[in-house]
């Protein structure tokens, strides 16, 4: 597309001589602006992808993809046959009966905190990889019977307790006596501490053996729900229908999937992601306008050169391609530099965060605010390609008008006052 003559002239114009420094400085700022815009867009989109993926993985890994409840709002008496029927549905990977209830947790050391207690069988607890693979102290081998409990490390810090200490659970649903309604109170020994990396769960979830939970919540031989995991979380609606068909009309149930339970949260993350994309695109657009201004100044400054080239036989198309190459070089270099910076930053984002925290002495990524203990970044190749193509496209588009003006320059008018 560009012959040797056009390339030589274009790159000669990009190298500033004495008296042309200002035009060159504007071109450098344009290059830096495009590089920063592309890099920032890649970094922010990757962080938003990582944030959504981590939240989705941790929320669904702990809560399940859907829950099967009794249609009348009561407890499930036939939870074992119900769970077995659900497991046979195609697409279901696990169905776990659990008991769930709000509790107040206190310790002898004076700590107190609200939490969510879940009753689960020891076998199902050990099969729950998000907990079993993140045990920091203790062991699930001791989880069982009526006097054991597993809590998060964040909750243990709140209660100021450790492995082997006792934690007291207080249920708001008390028992009725002649003295009035008294809350149910029971102390349990901490046999293991887990840390899944999501602050909200590490500071509020506790796990009891199913037998102990049935005694504490006085449910008898019943469960509050059957927690269901599927092989593809995006197909929960289809699996929902299959479960209803498998259970039939003789066993009415209420099924709540993760899309219903967390729809507002993930919709907010998606909206924020789209808004950030639009805002950061403006950086690239501003840098593209800098290319327009620098090329217009370059055309104005090189008016005599253009006239001489035309009189020597250069066509208007050759002049057009010379200035297109000048602007495109700035855009392509800026986009490629931004692409490299963005990928390197994403690959080392956690190390960079820790270094910045050490230098500033402030916490840049609070787990209490962002739910996660580490800053995630997941690079989506398709999004990176879109950002790079957008940077190249805007840069090339910015060169069209100045190059067209240069090609239409009349040699007679340009040399009249020379």
């Amino acid at each position: 597309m560009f012959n040797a003559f056009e390339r030589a002239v274009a790159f000669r114009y990009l190298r500033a001589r004495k008296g042309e420094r200002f035009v060159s400085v504007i071109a450098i700022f344009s290059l830096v602006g495009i590089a920063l815009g592309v890099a920032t867009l890649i970094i922010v989109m990757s962080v938003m992808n990582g944030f959504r993926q981590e939240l989705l993985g941790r929320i669904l890994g702990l809560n399940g993809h859907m829950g099967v409840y009794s249609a009348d709002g009561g407890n499930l008496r036939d939870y074992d046959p119900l769970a077995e029927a659900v497991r046979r549905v195609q697409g279901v990977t696990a169905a776990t009966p659990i008991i769930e209830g709000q509790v107040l947790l206190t310790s002898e050391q004076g700590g107190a905190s609200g939490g969510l207690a879940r009753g689960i069988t020891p076998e199902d607890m050990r099969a729950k990889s998000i907990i079993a693979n993140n045990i920091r102290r203790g062991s699930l081998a001791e989880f069982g019977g009526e006097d054991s409990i597993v809590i998060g490390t964040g909750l243990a810090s709140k209660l100021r307790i450790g492995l082997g200490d006792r934690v007291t659970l207080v249920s708001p649903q008390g028992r009725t006596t002649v003295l009035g309604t008294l809350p149910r109170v029971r102390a349990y020994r901490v046999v293991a501490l887990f840390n899944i990396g999501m602050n909200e769960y590490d500071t509020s979830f506790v796990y009891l053996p199913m037998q102990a939970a049935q005694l504490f919540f006085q449910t008898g031989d019943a469960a509050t729900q059957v927690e269901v995991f599927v092989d593809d979380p995006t197909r929960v609606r289809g699996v929902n229908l299959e479960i209803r068909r498998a259970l039939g009309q003789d066993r009415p149930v209420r099924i709540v999937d993760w899309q219903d339970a967390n729809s507002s949260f993930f919709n907010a993350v998606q909206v924020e992601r789209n808004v950030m994309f639009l805002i950061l695109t403006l950086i690239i657009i501003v840098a593209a306008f800098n290319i327009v201004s620098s090329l217009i100044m370059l055309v104005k400054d090189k008016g005599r050169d253009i006239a001489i080239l035309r009189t020597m036989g250069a066509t208007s198309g050759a002049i057009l391609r010379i200035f297109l190459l000048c602007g495109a070089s700035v855009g392509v270099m800026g986009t490629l530099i931004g692409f490299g910076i963005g990928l390197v930053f994403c690959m080392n984002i956690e190390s960079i965060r820790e270094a910045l925290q050490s230098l500033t002495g402030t916490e840049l990524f609070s787990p209490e605010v962002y739910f996660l203990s580490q800053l995630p970044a997941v690079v989506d190749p398709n999004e990176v390609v879109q950002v790079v193509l957008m940077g190249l496209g805007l840069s090339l588009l910015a060169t069209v008008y100045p190059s067209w003006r240069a090609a239409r320059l009349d040699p007679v008018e340009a040399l009249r006052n020379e």
Side-chain angles (χ1 to χ4, degrees), residues 11 32 90 129 170 192 196 218 312 338 351-352 372 382 405:
F11 292 131
V32 172
Q90 185 176 4
S129 59
V170 182
I196 65 171
Q218 296 182 353
M312 292 176 62
S351 301
I352 294 172
L372 302 174
N382 293 328
R405 286 293 302 271

Side-chain angles (χ1 to χ4, degrees), residues 123-347:
E123 295 77 16
D124 290 333
M125 184 65 169
R126 296 182 188 103
K128 203 174 187 66
S129 59
I130 194 170
I131 298 293
N133 295 338
N134 290 285
I135 297 296
R136 295 295 178 258
R137 296 187 62 192
S139 171
L140 293 180
E142 299 182 51
F143 182 75
E146 300 178 8
D147 188 42
S148 61
I149 191 171
V150 175
I151 69 175
T153 54
L155 183 59
S157 299
K158 279 187 176 181
L159 300 177
R160 299 193 287 274
I161 60 175
L163 191 66
D165 292 336
R166 302 192 74 82
V167 58
T168 301
L169 270 61
V170 182
S171 173
Q173 298 176 344
R175 62 182 186 275
T176 304
T177 66
V178 294
L179 300 177
T181 302
L182 298 178
R184 292 195 297 272
V185 180
R186 177 69 190 271
Y188 299 91
R189 183 173 63 90
V190 178
V191 297
L193 300 174
F194 66 84
N195 187 324
I196 65 171
M198 189 165 181
N199 185 72
E200 184 180 4
Y201 294 150
D202 291 334
T203 58
S204 60
F205 274 50
V206 300
Y207 285 88
L208 296 168
M210 178 68 83
Q211 183 180 0
Q214 289 174 338
L215 290 174
F216 181 76
F217 290 108
Q218 296 182 353
T219 62
D221 188 17
T224 58
Q225 65 166 298
V226 173
E227 190 178 58
V228 182
F229 291 86
V230 299
D231 54 5
D232 185 1
T234 62
R235 293 187 57 256
V236 287
R237 298 295 168 85
V239 178
N240 188 330
L241 295 176
E242 293 296 327
I243 291 175
R244 292 184 185 277
R245 292 194 191 98
L247 297 181
Q249 298 295 329
D250 57 336
R251 189 181 291 173
V253 294
R254 179 171 59 91
I255 302 177
V256 179
D257 60 54
W258 71 268
Q259 293 180 346
D260 294 327
N262 302 282
S263 60
S264 59
F265 181 79
F266 285 104
N267 286 339
V269 173
Q270 184 65 30
V271 170
E272 183 179 359
R273 180 176 174 276
N274 294 337
V275 171
M276 291 298 294
F277 181 87
L278 292 175
I279 292 174
L280 294 173
T281 300
L282 295 177
I283 300 177
I284 303 178
I285 294 175
V286 170
F289 275 109
N290 286 338
I291 293 178
V292 175
S293 61
S294 64
L295 275 183
I296 289 176
M297 293 183 66
L298 183 62
V299 170
K300 189 72 174 176
D301 185 65
K302 300 296 183 182
R304 185 178 62 176
D305 293 9
I306 295 172
I308 294 173
L309 289 173
R310 291 297 305 275
T311 58
M312 292 176 62
T315 64
S316 59
I319 301 299
L320 176 70
R321 288 190 291 272
I322 286 171
F323 285 92
L324 276 176
L325 187 56
C326 288
S329 299
V330 174
V332 170
M333 287 181 61
T335 302
L336 293 180
I337 292 172
F339 168 74
I341 293 174
L343 291 186
V344 170
F345 197 100
C346 290
M347 293 171 60

